[in-house]
């Protein structure tokens, strides 16, 4: 579904990604594991058009998307739920969801998607008129995922969905992501500080160190890898 080849990204004179290549197969959940500063968010930001790669190729469904502006990439069906969630704090929950569908062209399944969001996140359905800035951290994360679903995306990229959220809600959110994948066939690229959890829910994983891919494979196998266990799983 997504194919990254030899991606090089710089911030000024500092190189954040070094010749990065990996793939996200259709219908899979892929986790990017890496320490703080490894370049995980940079990968997502580059794929979604917020950063420009110096060289390299990013293909989504067989078509080159690098160099396209972010809204064009969303229109193709690739949604980014960024670190810090970036919802509109002054707008209501319902208005935030509507904003997600703003650029959606095919609106035939819009109300179906809305009902789906309410079914997986009943808390959101109960708070439609509430100002988004007054939602709890976990509820804001649910709203951000809901907004991405409203865009009609086939693939979702999530940056640290568990950040600053109570463990019980983290569990709910991850269950919903798995559901999104299993029931709707959505492809997911996940960046997550909680590597234990991320490796449990994903099919495949890539390990990023200082902007370079150092390991990749099935998540179940990487969870057993002694290097990974020592560096990322706290064993
Ligand atoms: N706008 C920027 N300008 C300059 N350097 C940046 C910028 N954004 C990120 N960097 C640098 O690029 C490197 C990768 O950052 P990135 O945010 O992608 O890491 P990360 O893996 O997401 O880290 P974290 O786990 O802390 O979120 C870091 O060294 C960071 O300081
Ligand atoms: Mg990050």
């Amino acid at each position: 579904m997504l194919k990254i080849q030899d991606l090089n990204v710089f911030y000024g004179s500092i190189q954040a990604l070094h010749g990065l290549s990996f793939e996200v197969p259709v219908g899979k959940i892929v986790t990017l594991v890496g320490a703080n500063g490894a370049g995980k968010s940079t990968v997502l930001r580059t794929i979604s058009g917020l950063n420009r790669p110096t060289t390299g190729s990013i293909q989504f469904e067989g078509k080159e998307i690098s160099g396209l502006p972010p809204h064009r990439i969303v229109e193709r069906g690739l949604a980014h739920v960024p670190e810090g969630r970036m919802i509109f704090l002054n707008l209501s929950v319902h208005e935030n969801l509507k904003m997600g569908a703003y650029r959606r062209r095919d609106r035939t399944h819009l109300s179906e998607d809305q009902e789906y969001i309410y079914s997986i996140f009943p808390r959101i359905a109960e708070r439609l008129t509430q100002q988004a800035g007054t939602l709890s951290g976990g509820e804001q994360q649910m709203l951000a995922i809901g907004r991405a679903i409203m865009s009609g995306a086939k693939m979702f990229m999530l940056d640290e969905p568990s950040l600053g959220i109570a463990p019980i809600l983290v569990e709910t959110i991850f269950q919903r992501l798995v559901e999104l994948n299993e029931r709707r066939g959505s492809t997911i690229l996940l960046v997550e500080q909680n590597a234990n959890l991320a490796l449990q829910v994903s099919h495949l994983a890539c390990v990023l160190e200082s902007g370079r891919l150092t390991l990749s494979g099935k998540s179940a196998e990487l969870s057993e890898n002694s290097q990974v266990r020592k560096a990322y799983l706290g064993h």
Side-chain angles (χ1 to χ4, degrees):
M1 178 143 228
L2 184 78
K3 189 172 184 183
I4 311 288
Q5 277 173 302
D6 199 25
L7 208 59
N8 288 290
V9 175
F10 288 79
Y11 292 112
S13 60
I14 295 171
Q15 188 162 6
L17 301 180
H18 300 260
L20 187 67
S21 302
F22 70 95
E23 282 185 43
V24 181
V26 66
K28 300 289 183 201
I29 304 181
V30 177
T31 292
L32 277 182
V33 178
N36 290 122
K40 306 179 296 297
S41 298
T42 301
V43 172
L44 300 197
R45 291 175 54 83
T46 307
I47 296 169
S48 65
L50 297 166
N51 290 343
R52 282 205 169 218
T54 313
T55 58
S57 139
I58 305 170
Q59 288 184 351
F60 182 62
E61 296 190 305
K63 292 189 185 120
E64 191 63 36
I65 58 166
S66 65
L68 289 181
H71 64 269
R72 293 275 173 242
I73 294 173
V74 175
E75 280 171 10
R76 297 214 179 179
L78 179 50
H80 182 192
V81 181
E83 205 171 2
R85 310 185 264 276
M86 300 305 232
I87 55 171
F88 301 101
L89 300 175
N90 296 320
L91 298 184
S92 71
V93 167
H94 185 241
E95 286 164 335
N96 265 278
L97 290 175
K98 274 204 313 205
M99 294 295 278
Y102 179 61
R103 287 195 167 266
R104 183 165 171 165
R105 291 211 181 115
D106 176 10
R107 303 183 85 84
T108 43
H109 299 290
L110 198 59
S111 57
E112 206 176 294
D113 283 352
Q114 200 161 327
E115 289 308 315
Y116 177 71
I117 294 162
Y118 299 162
S119 76
I120 61 170
F121 298 131
R123 275 169 181 256
I124 293 302
E126 289 159 13
R127 290 171 169 77
L128 290 177
T129 56
Q130 191 173 324
Q131 196 180 337
T134 64
L135 295 174
S136 75
E139 290 161 358
Q140 289 186 12
Q141 185 64 55
M142 293 176 191
L143 176 57
I145 295 169
R147 193 179 56 180
I149 293 173
M150 289 296 279
S151 75
K154 305 171 224 178
M155 176 169 168
F156 297 86
M157 300 192 290
L158 296 113
D159 201 346
E160 313 264 9
S162 78
L163 203 69
I165 296 177
I168 179 97
L169 275 187
V170 170
E171 209 170 291
T172 305
I173 288 171
F174 273 76
Q175 274 172 8
R176 297 303 176 256
L177 292 177
V178 169
E179 246 179 71
L180 193 62
N181 169 255
E182 287 179 351
R183 299 221 185 132
R184 306 186 116 212
S186 303
T187 304
I188 297 176
L189 176 58
L190 179 65
V191 165
E192 179 51 55
Q193 210 51 248
N194 185 338
N196 265 306
L197 188 56
L199 289 175
Q200 269 173 39
V201 302
S202 59
H203 304 104
L204 303 165
C206 298
V207 178
L208 206 59
E209 284 176 30
S210 308
R212 290 182 174 88
L213 186 78
T214 54
L215 273 173
S216 66
K218 292 193 174 136
S219 300
E221 285 166 13
L222 286 191
S223 318
E224 298 301 318
N225 179 299
S226 60
Q227 261 173 288
V228 172
R229 288 169 69 87
K230 215 161 85 190
Y232 304 106
L233 303 179
H235 296 289

